Amino acid sequence: MYNTERYALTDSHLKVESIFINEIHKHTGVYTFPFHKHDDFLEISLVIDGEEQIEFKDETYHAKAGDVIIKNKGLLHQEEGKSNEGLVEFSIGISGVQLEG
């Protein structure tokens, strides 16, 4: 499921750019989303079920159900689910996020 509608939050410069759910069933095999980046929004993901590896430029992280992953705007990353375990992940893309410094 993928939704590309954009939502503006009231009295805010934040915008929800995308909302999507990745659901890979156990019988599907290995899930791989090759290296990519989002130039216009940061991505916040919640692993709902299963496990995956997230690879950044020089580091690899293991994420499991209950983990939250934040991928900054412009950060090159790749995701791979563990074979035959299935994966359910909810992600949201948000633009306009800036922290001082």
Side-chain angles (χ1 to χ4, degrees):
M1 172 188 243
Y2 184 76
N3 180 349
T4 58
E5 291 184 40
R6 296 171 185 248
Y7 304 90
L9 303 176
T10 306
D11 297 327
S12 176
H13 61 280
L14 298 177
K15 291 182 184 171
V16 175
E17 299 289 347
S18 63
I19 300 172
F20 47 97
I21 297 174
N22 291 327
E23 184 171 358
I24 293 78
H25 298 279
K26 293 179 182 182
H27 65 275
T28 306
V30 176
Y31 157 74
T32 301
F33 198 114
F35 276 104
H36 65 285
K37 63 181 180 167
H38 312 284
D39 289 326
D40 54 347
F41 61 86
L42 70 78
E43 178 182 348
I44 301 172
S45 300
L46 169 63
V47 179
I48 296 168
D49 189 29
E51 298 180 16
E52 70 175 332
Q53 279 190 169
I54 299 108
E55 187 175 343
F56 300 101
K57 183 178 178 182
D58 298 321
E59 298 184 62
T60 301
Y61 295 92
H62 177 81
K64 62 188 181 315
D67 287 350
V68 173
I69 305 116
I70 299 172
K71 300 162 212 143
N72 284 328
K73 175 177 84 170
L75 178 66
L76 192 63
H77 61 283
Q78 172 174 278
E79 302 157 342
E80 184 173 306
K82 296 193 108 186
S83 64
N84 301 322
E85 290 190 16
L87 174 69
V88 178
E89 179 180 76
F90 173 79
S91 297
I92 184 169
I94 301 175
S95 67
V97 177
Q98 292 186 347
L99 301 176
E100 281 190 44

Coordinates of all heavy atoms in Angstrom, one line a residue, residues 3 10 12 19 22 25 29 31 34 36-38 41 53 59 64 71 75 78 94 97 99:
N3 N 0.7 5.6 -0.4 CA -0.2 6.8 -0.5 C 0.7 8.0 -0.7 O 1.6 8.3 0.2 CB -1.0 7.0 0.8 CG -1.9 8.2 0.7 OD1 -1.8 9.0 -0.2 ND2 -2.8 8.3 1.6
T10 N -1.8 21.9 10.6 CA -2.3 23.3 11.0 C -1.2 24.1 11.7 O -0.6 23.5 12.6 CB -3.5 23.2 11.8 OG1 -4.5 22.4 11.1 CG2 -4.1 24.5 12.1
S12 N 1.8 25.0 11.0 CA 3.1 24.3 11.0 C 3.7 24.4 9.6 O 3.0 24.4 8.6 CB 3.0 22.9 11.5 OG 4.2 22.2 11.5
I19 N 2.8 8.3 3.1 CA 2.5 7.3 4.2 C 2.4 6.0 3.4 O 1.7 5.8 2.4 CB 1.1 7.6 4.8 CG1 1.1 8.9 5.5 CG2 0.8 6.5 5.8 CD1 -0.2 9.4 6.0
N22 N 4.9 -1.4 4.1 CA 5.5 -2.5 3.4 C 5.1 -3.8 4.1 O 5.3 -3.9 5.4 CB 7.1 -2.4 3.5 CG 7.6 -1.3 2.7 OD1 7.1 -0.9 1.7 ND2 8.7 -0.7 3.2
H25 N 5.1 -11.1 2.8 CA 4.7 -12.3 3.4 C 5.8 -13.3 3.5 O 6.7 -13.3 2.7 CB 3.5 -12.9 2.7 CG 2.3 -11.9 2.7 ND1 1.5 -11.9 3.8 CD2 1.9 -11.0 1.8 CE1 0.5 -10.9 3.5 NE2 0.8 -10.4 2.4
G29 N 9.8 -14.7 0.3 CA 11.2 -14.8 0.3 C 11.8 -13.5 0.8 O 11.2 -12.7 1.5
Y31 N 13.1 -9.8 1.0 CA 12.7 -8.5 0.6 C 13.9 -7.6 0.5 O 14.6 -7.5 1.5 CB 11.6 -7.9 1.6 CG 11.5 -6.4 1.6 CD1 10.9 -5.8 0.5 CD2 12.0 -5.7 2.6 CE1 10.7 -4.4 0.5 CE2 11.9 -4.3 2.6 CZ 11.2 -3.7 1.6 OH 11.1 -2.3 1.6
P34 N 16.6 -1.7 -2.8 CA 17.9 -1.2 -3.1 C 18.2 0.2 -2.6 O 17.3 1.0 -2.3 CB 18.1 -1.4 -4.6 CG 16.7 -1.5 -5.1 CD 15.8 -1.9 -4.0
H36 N 18.6 3.9 -2.1 CA 17.8 5.0 -2.5 C 17.9 6.1 -1.5 O 18.4 5.9 -0.4 CB 16.4 4.6 -2.8 CG 15.6 4.2 -1.6 ND1 15.8 3.0 -0.9 CD2 14.7 4.9 -0.8 CE1 15.1 2.9 0.1 NE2 14.4 4.0 0.2
K37 N 17.4 7.3 -1.8 CA 17.3 8.4 -0.8 C 16.1 9.2 -1.1 O 15.5 9.2 -2.2 CB 18.6 9.2 -0.8 CG 18.9 9.9 -2.1 CD 20.1 10.7 -2.1 CE 20.4 11.4 -3.4 NZ 21.4 12.4 -3.3
H38 N 15.7 10.0 -0.2 CA 14.6 10.9 -0.3 C 15.1 12.4 -0.2 O 15.5 12.8 0.9 CB 13.5 10.6 0.8 CG 13.2 9.2 0.9 ND1 12.4 8.5 0.0 CD2 13.6 8.3 1.8 CE1 12.3 7.3 0.4 NE2 13.0 7.1 1.4
F41 N 12.2 14.8 1.9 CA 11.6 14.5 3.2 C 12.4 13.5 4.0 O 13.2 12.7 3.4 CB 10.2 14.0 3.1 CG 10.0 12.7 2.3 CD1 10.1 11.5 2.9 CD2 9.7 12.7 0.9 CE1 9.9 10.3 2.2 CE2 9.5 11.5 0.2 CZ 9.6 10.3 0.9
Q53 N 17.4 -5.6 7.9 CA 18.7 -4.9 8.0 C 18.6 -3.6 7.3 O 18.0 -3.6 6.2 CB 19.8 -5.7 7.4 CG 20.3 -6.8 8.2 CD 21.6 -7.4 7.6 OE1 22.2 -8.2 8.3 NE2 22.0 -7.2 6.4
E59 N 27.5 1.8 7.6 CA 27.0 1.1 8.7 C 25.8 0.2 8.4 O 25.0 0.6 7.5 CB 26.7 2.0 9.9 CG 27.9 2.8 10.4 CD 27.6 3.7 11.5 OE1 27.2 3.1 12.6 OE2 27.7 4.9 11.4
K64 N 14.1 -4.8 14.5 CA 13.1 -5.9 14.8 C 11.8 -5.2 15.2 O 11.7 -4.0 15.4 CB 13.6 -6.8 15.9 CG 13.8 -6.1 17.2 CD 14.5 -7.1 18.2 CE 14.7 -6.4 19.5 NZ 15.2 -5.1 19.6
K71 N 15.4 8.1 9.1 CA 16.3 8.2 8.0 C 16.2 9.7 7.5 O 15.2 10.1 7.0 CB 16.0 7.3 6.8 CG 16.1 5.8 7.3 CD 15.3 4.9 6.3 CE 14.8 3.8 7.1 NZ 13.5 3.3 6.6
L75 N 19.7 10.9 2.9 CA 20.6 9.9 3.4 C 20.4 8.6 2.5 O 19.3 8.1 2.5 CB 20.2 9.5 4.9 CG 21.0 8.4 5.5 CD1 22.5 8.8 5.6 CD2 20.5 8.0 6.9
Q78 N 19.5 1.4 2.3 CA 19.0 0.2 1.6 C 18.4 -0.7 2.8 O 18.9 -0.7 3.9 CB 20.1 -0.6 1.0 CG 19.8 -2.0 0.5 CD 20.9 -2.6 -0.3 OE1 21.1 -2.3 -1.4 NE2 21.7 -3.5 0.4
I94 N 8.1 13.0 6.1 CA 7.7 14.3 6.6 C 8.8 15.3 6.1 O 10.0 15.1 6.3 CB 7.7 14.3 8.1 CG1 6.7 13.3 8.7 CG2 7.3 15.7 8.6 CD1 6.7 13.2 10.2
V97 N 11.1 19.5 8.5 CA 11.7 19.2 9.8 C 13.1 19.9 9.9 O 13.9 19.6 9.1 CB 11.8 17.7 10.1 CG1 12.4 17.5 11.4 CG2 10.4 17.1 10.0
L99 N 16.0 21.2 12.9 CA 16.4 21.4 14.3 C 17.5 22.4 14.4 O 18.4 22.4 13.5 CB 16.9 20.1 15.0 CG 15.8 19.0 15.0 CD1 16.4 17.7 15.6 CD2 14.6 19.4 15.8

